[in-house]
């Protein structure tokens, strides 16, 4: 660990010096806000005391290096530079039982890169910590509102699981002044994040350069048969909703395979059965069907297969089928120029030890892409674990990520 | 409707006259205790005000015809005759949302048969309404304790879903005196019941003469894999508990078939998934596997198949398998002599319109069989519906059941 020197290609600022010790110390300091659970766990949900204290601490760090801290009405915290340029960052809110790196890594690596760049004389880089990425009130709420994906008024009555409304949570920002932050002052957005999956951990690669954030499709299906006594209802006279579900799921496990590539995922994560008693033939089974891929045609082919299998099995078994509306998020391609910069930077820092890969998770960059060119990079997650107190990454790998981010910024300027 | 005359084969009592109007009026009167819900619904759970009031009403009816009403410590109500002979009856407690016939039919048909027999001079028939057949505190609790299946002390701390203990519920019997009722005074037990299934309703038969009460086997299995992010975990690296469940259930749907006959049933009625969120690869699936048949060898062959498929799929998929203890109730064969009487009686009353069939549901007779020869007969359930306010049977069919029961008693005496 220690210091790394990056030469700027821009002759005006001949070099910048990253301080990895300072970077790691800041990362551990941020973890103190809401430190909880076992290991390096964190409980810093959006608008909690810990979250607001962390944002105030971050605002001080911004001011310290000459950035102008500025909150917007959603609680997104920007550190604004004097000159136009790249925006770097992620989010500093956490899951209810989260890890120390999800979001925090992107914010603190951005802080270190901006700080080092400013020390080298560059006043073009700005910094952001988006609010409520983890969806206490609205999934990716801070970046969604900032990027114009939705009007704040449309979600302001959203309630957290504890019943608190977003509008009341936002009132906790007072007396901090809030303002509108214009995206036009930024030339692009780079977000570093932990992978939150096992791909890099298993391959041994140190960096993932994101090709696209995958698109997302989800259906909710309910099969309704006839609830009956499990002792007195002969098999031939049953309309068993669980057996219907099993037939659908078993067929999909086979029939979706040829439509998927190794990065495509399909998940039945939610399933509820009624009346859900061992001695009653189940009358109703409701379940989620979710699939993700970067290719919209593949997503559509999978949807057609899923709907066909649901229809087939429901009618073959005399079950009533109800399918809810399709929820979808479109794939977000990365900006070609920024993506190329990250690849060049990765090859420079960890030659042969990085890979291009889609992001299976959704990130603030998905929203920011509405307003700015975006690109992302990943560092490995140990065991692929995230959204858990046990989430972690080797500190040496965190520093490699920091170096790639800084290198990309240096190449861009 | 009206009166039916049955000649006794015993010369001492030349005939008995059934009064079907009186029988139906009593059945409707009993329904008034706890009448609830839509249609003919009843809420008369064990030891509720409605249940105890119904038992007091029934005790008065017993006394009226010269039987001696007697409660035991479990709240079972007997109407004791002067001479040894058959015991007739069922239970008068109901499900929390029950129908008007489940149990009640067996008690009131017994009342009418005993009454008519006594009017013809026969003082050998006794009557019973068992308590808590529906398992508010213990499944078939009243007949279980009376028959010596378990000691009362072992279940006396059992709690209902509202937290009330059996011992406190029993205290509500006071000031009614309780006593021990010796089974030795009875020569056998006949129970008439609604079928609670669709077999008679679909076949058009008017009477089912029960061959055996089926045996029951139940396992609880839990498959544990690895909970993970549904976006970032590639399919090849998943250990998905729901997919494991689906594979097990789909194989069992095929592999159990050749082991079953048309009366065998197999049910997966309970299934719970953790963490049960659409965006999380499920880490755990727990489910019930229940099967019933009158043949213990078939039950054992099915158990072996189920255990083999669980083991296979768990190890093929890297899932941890936990299987709980086997719950079982052995099949209860009907007494040959009493069963033959019921068949003869059925053929006399509804020639060609009855069938021999197993009982897929468990009944008080299952317990009473520990102490006495038992036999049962069924009348049709409209639509096979029971344990529901909508439970019903055509009144003409109720009367046919009454006639068959009376005829069997007449043949026996």
């Amino acid at each position: 660990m220690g210091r790394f020197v990056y030469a700027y290609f821009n002759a005006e600022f001949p070099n910048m010096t990253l301080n990895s010790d300072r970077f790691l110390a800041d990362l551990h300091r941020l973890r103190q806000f809401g430190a909880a659970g076992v290991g390096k766990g964190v409980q810093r949900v959006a608008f909690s005391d810990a979250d607001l204290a962390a944002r105030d601490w971050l605002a001080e760090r911004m001011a310290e290096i000459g950035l102008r801290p500025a909150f917007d009405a959603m609680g997104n915290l920007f550190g604004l530079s004097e000159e136009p340029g790249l925006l770097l960052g992620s989010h500093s809110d956490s899951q209810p039982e989260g890890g120390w790196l999800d979001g925090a890594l992107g914010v603190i690596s951005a802080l270190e890169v901006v700080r080092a760049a400013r020390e080298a004389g560059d006043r073009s880089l700005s910094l952001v910590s988006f609010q409520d990425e983890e969806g206490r009130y609205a999934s990716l709420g801070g970046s969604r509102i900032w990027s114009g994906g939705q009007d704040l008024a449309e979600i302001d009555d959203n309630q957290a699981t504890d019943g608190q409304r977003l509008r009341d949570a936002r009132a906790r920002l007072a007396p901090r002044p809030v303002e509108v932050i214009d995206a036009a002052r930024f030339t692009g957005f780079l977000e570093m994040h932990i992978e939150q999956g096992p791909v890099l951990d298993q391959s041994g690669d140190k960096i993932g350069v994101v090709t696209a954030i995958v698109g997302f499709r989800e259906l909710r299906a309910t099969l309704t048969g006839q609830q009956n006594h499990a002792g007195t209802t002969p098999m031939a006279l049953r309309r068993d909703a669980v057996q219907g579900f099993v037939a659908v799921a078993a067929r999909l496990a086979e029939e979706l395979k040829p439509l998927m590539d190794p990065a495509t995922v399909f998940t039945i994560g939610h399933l509820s059965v009624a009346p859900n008693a061992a001695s009653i033939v189940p009358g109703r089974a409701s379940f989620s069907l979710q699939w993700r891929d970067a290719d919209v045609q593949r997503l559509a082919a999978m949807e057609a297969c899923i709907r066909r299998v649901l229809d087939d099995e429901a009618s073959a078994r005399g079950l009533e089928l109800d399918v809810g509306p399709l929820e979808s998020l479109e794939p977000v391609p990365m900006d070609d120029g920024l993506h190329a910069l990250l690849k060049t930077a990765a090859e420079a820092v960890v030659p042969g030890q990085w890979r291009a890969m889609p992001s299976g998770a959704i990130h603030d960059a998905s929203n920011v892409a509405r307003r700015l060119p975006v690109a992302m990079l990943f560092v490995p997650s140990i065991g692929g674990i995230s959204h858990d107190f046990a989430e972690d990454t080797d500190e040496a790998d965190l520093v490699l990520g920091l170096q790639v981010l800084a290198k990309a910024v240096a190449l861009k300027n």
Side-chain angles (χ1 to χ4, degrees), chain A:
Chain A
M1 309 282 169
R3 288 162 180 274
F4 305 86
V5 178
Y6 287 89
Y8 267 62
F9 286 70
N10 183 326
E12 214 180 324
F13 312 113
N15 58 64
M16 64 185 270
T17 306
L18 284 175
N19 185 329
S20 60
D21 293 340
R22 185 171 65 175
F23 157 68
L24 291 170
D26 280 346
L27 206 47
H28 283 286
R29 178 69 189 92
L30 177 54
R31 193 214 148 220
Q32 296 307 311
F33 297 96
V38 295
K40 297 176 178 167
V42 169
Q43 299 188 313
R44 196 168 60 233
V45 297
F47 296 106
S48 63
D49 290 346
D51 169 60
L52 293 172
R55 285 171 194 271
D56 288 337
W57 171 83
L58 193 61
E60 284 170 30
R61 299 289 78 69
M62 291 168 169
E64 220 167 56
I65 60 175
L67 297 175
R68 184 171 75 78
F71 284 94
D72 71 6
M74 260 303 287
N76 298 313
L77 170 60
F78 290 80
L80 299 171
S81 60
E82 299 85 339
E83 296 163 18
L86 286 174
L87 178 68
L88 310 181
S90 185
H91 62 96
S92 57
D93 65 298
S94 86
Q95 283 279 330
E97 296 194 355
W100 72 306
L101 298 173
D102 181 356
L105 173 64
V107 172
I108 299 300
S109 60
L111 173 64
E112 177 56 22
V113 170
V114 174
R115 186 160 50 195
R118 292 182 72 86
E119 287 166 352
D122 181 338
R123 294 167 182 276
S124 73
L125 299 174
S126 293
L127 171 57
V128 65
S129 169
F130 286 111
Q131 181 59 296
D132 204 16
E133 197 269 352
E134 302 292 6
R136 186 180 189 189
Y137 301 93
S139 175
L140 290 82
S143 58
R144 193 199 303 182
I145 299 303
W146 181 73
S147 66
Q150 202 166 14
D151 286 339
L152 178 50
E154 292 178 58
I155 65 169
D156 219 13
D157 285 322
N158 283 14
Q159 285 178 293
T161 53
D162 65 3
Q164 195 180 38
R165 284 178 200 283
L166 175 57
R167 65 170 72 250
D168 300 320
R170 293 196 306 104
R172 305 197 64 207
L173 287 169
R176 301 166 190 83
V178 301
E179 61 188 279
V180 174
I181 312 296
D182 186 356
R185 63 186 301 145
F186 310 121
T187 57
F189 177 63
L190 291 180
E191 182 173 7
M192 174 153 113
H193 207 282
I194 52 169
E195 182 200 330
Q196 303 183 283
V199 173
L200 297 175
D201 190 50
Q202 297 238 344
S203 72
D205 288 315
K206 296 300 185 185
I207 295 290
V209 178
V210 174
T211 51
I213 298 171
V214 300
F216 165 105
R217 301 286 184 272
E218 188 177 311
L219 288 171
R220 297 261 166 178
T222 299
L223 291 168
T224 305
Q226 179 61 54
Q227 169 181 338
N228 253 319
H229 191 299
T232 60
T233 312
M235 300 305 280
L237 298 178
R238 294 183 177 198
R239 292 188 298 126
D240 181 323
V242 162
Q243 293 297 325
F245 163 75
V246 165
V248 165
R251 276 188 60 184
L252 288 178
E254 290 309 310
E255 295 184 27
L256 286 175
K257 252 186 216 161
L259 304 177
M260 295 165 73
D261 86 359
T264 316
V265 292
F266 170 75
T267 307
I268 298 172
H270 179 268
L271 173 60
S272 77
V273 173
N276 214 22
S279 290
I280 304 183
V281 178
R284 199 171 67 246
S286 296
F287 48 102
S288 62
L289 303 137
Q290 187 193 91
W291 59 110
R292 307 189 193 207
D293 195 85
D295 177 346
V296 291
Q297 286 178 324
R298 176 173 287 124
L299 292 171
M302 291 175 71
E303 182 184 348
C305 174
I306 289 164
R307 290 186 184 275
R308 177 174 48 76
V309 168
L310 283 167
D311 285 340
D312 276 7
E313 292 299 327
S315 62
R317 291 161 183 273
L319 301 170
E320 199 181 300
L321 171 65
D322 179 60
V323 180
L326 182 73
E327 284 187 54
S328 59
L329 285 171
E330 296 313 309
V332 177
M334 297 293 101
D335 175 73
D336 287 344
L338 292 177
H339 177 69
L341 278 185
L342 285 172
K343 290 206 283 194
T344 304
E347 183 60 23
V349 175
V350 286
Q353 284 190 288
W354 62 277
R355 61 164 56 199
M357 63 186 288
S359 171
I362 295 156
H363 294 286
D364 286 314
S366 307
N367 283 319
V368 176
R370 283 194 192 90
R371 309 296 295 274
L372 297 171
V374 302
M376 290 193 72
L377 75 160
F378 286 158
V379 294
S381 292
I382 295 172
I385 297 166
S386 184
H387 289 189
D388 191 295
F389 290 149
E391 168 190 291
D392 208 358
T393 299
D394 190 303
E395 293 197 353
D397 290 343
L398 298 177
V399 171
L400 291 174
L402 174 73
Q403 292 176 261
V404 173
L405 180 65
K407 185 78 182 174
V409 168
L411 290 169
K412 161 83 174 170
N413 282 29

